[in-house]
Amino acid sequence: MAILQPKIPLCLHSQHFHFPLDHSPTAAPFHCTPFKSARKPLKLTCSSNSQDDYLIDAPVSAGDGFSFTGGKYSDGPSPSDEWFKLGKTVKAHPVSGSGDKAKDPIFGLKMGSGSQASNDLFRWFCVESGNADNPTVILIHGFPSQAYSYRKVLPTLSKNYHAIAFDWVGFGFSDKPQPRYGFDYTMDEYVASLESLISEIATEKVSLVVQGYFSPIAVKYASNHQGTLNDLILLNPPLTATHANLPSALSIFSNFLLGEIFCQDPLRASDKTLTSSGPYKMKEDDAMVYRRPYLTSGSSGFALNAISKAMKKDLKAYVDETRKTLLDENWKVKTTVCWGLRDRWLSYDGVEDFLNNSKHKLIELPMVETLLFSAKAQNLFSLERKQQHICYH
């Protein structure tokens, strides 16, 4: 196992990359010129820009995302609207069940369109950048988050790669069917749905970048499709026995009644959860985007409750399977584990020992945590293929 320790703080995190879109005239566009890439092993390096933008242990006055201000959802465009305009809907993975219309689990009343599944295939919100002829990198957000967490990464990747970020079913702008009406949010279903989506959006080999608690799902997918992957990059993945238990900030959503109530509270389900994993603060404009699904429909809350219950039940088995897979001598996918040491949810204890027994590269990031929220990116995390770079910043 190789351990890299960057000389500078590196702003990378496992559950979320959280970067604002740069609308300045010099911002990187969502397109690029095709290039010829040699199939070389990925080389990981670190670099930094000169800006001092991250809000580490920031005061509340800097904006902590816990307040509503100025009627931003009703007056003028919001960051959520601007983000939505950049994406498109991709239909993938068949809807299961009888096709009956979803009903409220308490009163039995027909639920709104936001809680209803599609008639045939689920609708996924995807944002693409870069030329489709370039190598494809699929960016998979963590639990609970959205593809919005990759908003700053996409234009940077577009220079040399075809990058795709998507919202999982149940999150962001993707379908959020009522549990038991087409999708039950089990981890097995997420594996199957990931397979369907990747088959729809990628025709050749891809590289996967996946954050946090959705990492075991990506590893299981990868174990069944090793021949279709170039690289697998895991950001603070659950790897030890202690990681198999959700932190209280997430497990509370699986509780009977209380969890169902908290899942419908936008501040509890979004702001408080996302800011609980580390010392970073979230700006109000960014909090609005993550909060938006919980404000517009109860479907996001029902989905959060269902996936929390499923993870509480099945996460241990998936973590065990992940460990077994990554230690398997027949594992062929080049795998890198990046670990932010300021993560409050996933302890570093035992991670280095596990990776000492594996053939995978470990990158330790001392000044990074699980969830990172900031106004702008301070540092770049670069994966180099010859002179081509994938940058998470």
Side-chain angles (χ1 to χ4, degrees):
M1 175 192 69
I3 300 179
L4 302 182
Q5 289 186 313
K7 296 180 180 180
I8 58 172
L10 210 58
C11 295
L12 170 73
H13 48 91
S14 69
Q15 307 294 16
H16 307 274
F17 287 116
H18 196 99
F19 306 104
L21 286 166
D22 184 353
H23 296 294
S24 66
T26 60
F30 274 40
H31 59 81
C32 66
T33 303
F35 71 97
K36 296 180 180 179
S37 63
R39 183 65 187 104
K40 300 285 187 179
L42 285 175
K43 178 183 178 182
L44 285 82
T45 62
C46 306
S47 61
S48 174
N49 64 23
S50 60
Q51 299 178 358
D52 184 17
D53 297 322
Y54 274 118
L55 306 177
I56 301 176
D57 298 313
V60 174
S61 60
D64 64 4
F66 278 87
S67 62
F68 297 97
T69 58
K72 293 182 180 179
Y73 284 102
S74 58
D75 299 328
S78 73
S80 185
D81 297 327
E82 296 302 316
W83 172 245
F84 181 75
K85 293 177 183 178
L86 297 176
K88 66 178 183 180
T89 297
V90 174
K91 300 187 73 173
H93 195 64
V95 176
S96 62
S98 63
D100 294 340
K101 293 298 182 181
K103 298 180 180 180
D104 181 275
I106 299 177
F107 301 105
L109 301 176
K110 180 181 176 181
M111 303 190 71
S113 59
S115 296
Q116 304 294 343
S118 306
N119 293 327
D120 49 1
L121 302 173
F122 288 109
R123 295 163 295 190
W124 304 66
F125 177 73
C126 298
V127 178
E128 292 185 76
S129 65
N131 192 305
D133 293 331
N134 291 340
T136 298
V137 179
I138 299 178
L139 307 171
I140 303 176
H141 71 75
F143 171 63
S145 186
Q146 299 177 31
Y148 179 74
S149 58
Y150 288 108
R151 64 195 177 281
K152 192 69 174 184
V153 179
L154 287 162
T156 302
L157 286 173
S158 69
K159 299 172 184 177
N160 301 310
Y161 293 87
H162 177 221
I164 305 172
F166 66 87
D167 288 331
W168 284 106
V169 171
F171 296 90
F173 288 109
S174 291
D175 275 350
K176 308 173 194 67
Q178 180 71 7
R180 298 185 298 279
Y181 289 90
F183 199 81
D184 290 338
Y185 300 95
T186 67
M187 299 186 75
D188 287 346
E189 282 179 302
Y190 273 118
V191 173
S193 65
L194 179 62
E195 179 177 0
S196 298
L197 178 64
I198 292 178
S199 296
E200 183 65 29
I201 63 179
T203 58
E204 298 183 0
K205 281 189 173 184
V206 302
S207 294
L208 300 182
V209 179
V210 57
Q211 306 168 7
Y213 290 107
F214 275 124
S215 295
I217 290 172
V219 171
K220 185 166 184 178
Y221 163 82
S223 68
N224 297 325
H225 301 275
Q226 295 191 52
T228 67
L229 298 180
N230 288 323
D231 303 275
L232 177 64
I233 302 172
L234 306 175
L235 312 176
N236 282 48
L239 293 174
T240 70
T242 57
H243 294 165
N245 299 312
L246 289 176
S248 59
L250 296 177
S251 63
I252 194 171
F253 297 121
S254 65
N255 293 347
F256 174 72
L257 190 59
L258 185 62
E260 295 169 344
I261 294 173
F262 283 168
C263 284
Q264 299 299 333
D265 179 352
L267 297 185
R268 169 74 70 167
S270 178
D271 301 37
K272 188 171 183 179
T273 301
L274 298 179
T275 55
S276 69
S277 68
Y280 297 89
K281 299 296 182 180
M282 180 166 57
K283 284 298 189 74
E284 174 69 14
D285 281 351
D286 295 322
M288 287 166 54
V289 180
Y290 290 99
R291 191 189 298 148
R292 181 68 173 268
Y294 298 95
L295 289 169
T296 57
S297 172
S299 58
S300 294
F302 287 119
L304 178 61
N305 176 249
I307 183 57
S308 299
K309 290 179 178 178
M311 282 206 172
K312 187 174 182 179
K313 176 184 177 183
D314 298 329
L315 185 58
K316 182 181 184 303
Y318 264 75
V319 171
D320 290 343
E321 187 172 353
T322 295
R323 290 172 58 88
K324 181 179 179 181
T325 298
L326 296 181
L327 290 171
D328 192 335
E329 294 181 355
N330 295 320
W331 179 249
K332 305 299 183 182
V333 180
K334 183 181 177 183
T335 304
T336 300
V337 174
C338 303
W339 203 275
L341 299 180
R342 302 188 74 175
D343 192 336
R344 293 176 180 170
W345 285 359
L346 293 163
S347 169
Y348 188 58
D349 294 343
V351 173
E352 186 173 355
D353 290 339
F354 170 74
L355 292 173
N356 272 329
N357 296 322
S358 76
K359 56 189 176 183
H360 311 303
K361 182 178 293 184
L362 169 66
I363 299 180
E364 295 177 344
L365 308 175
M367 294 300 293
V368 180
E369 42 107 3
T370 307
L371 305 174
L372 182 62
F373 303 97
S374 65
K376 293 182 180 178
Q378 178 186 15
N379 301 305
L380 302 180
F381 175 70
S382 302
L383 292 83
E384 296 185 7
R385 188 191 305 273
K386 216 170 183 180
Q387 294 182 344
Q388 314 301 335
H389 296 72
I390 302 178
C391 302
Y392 304 97
H393 66 295

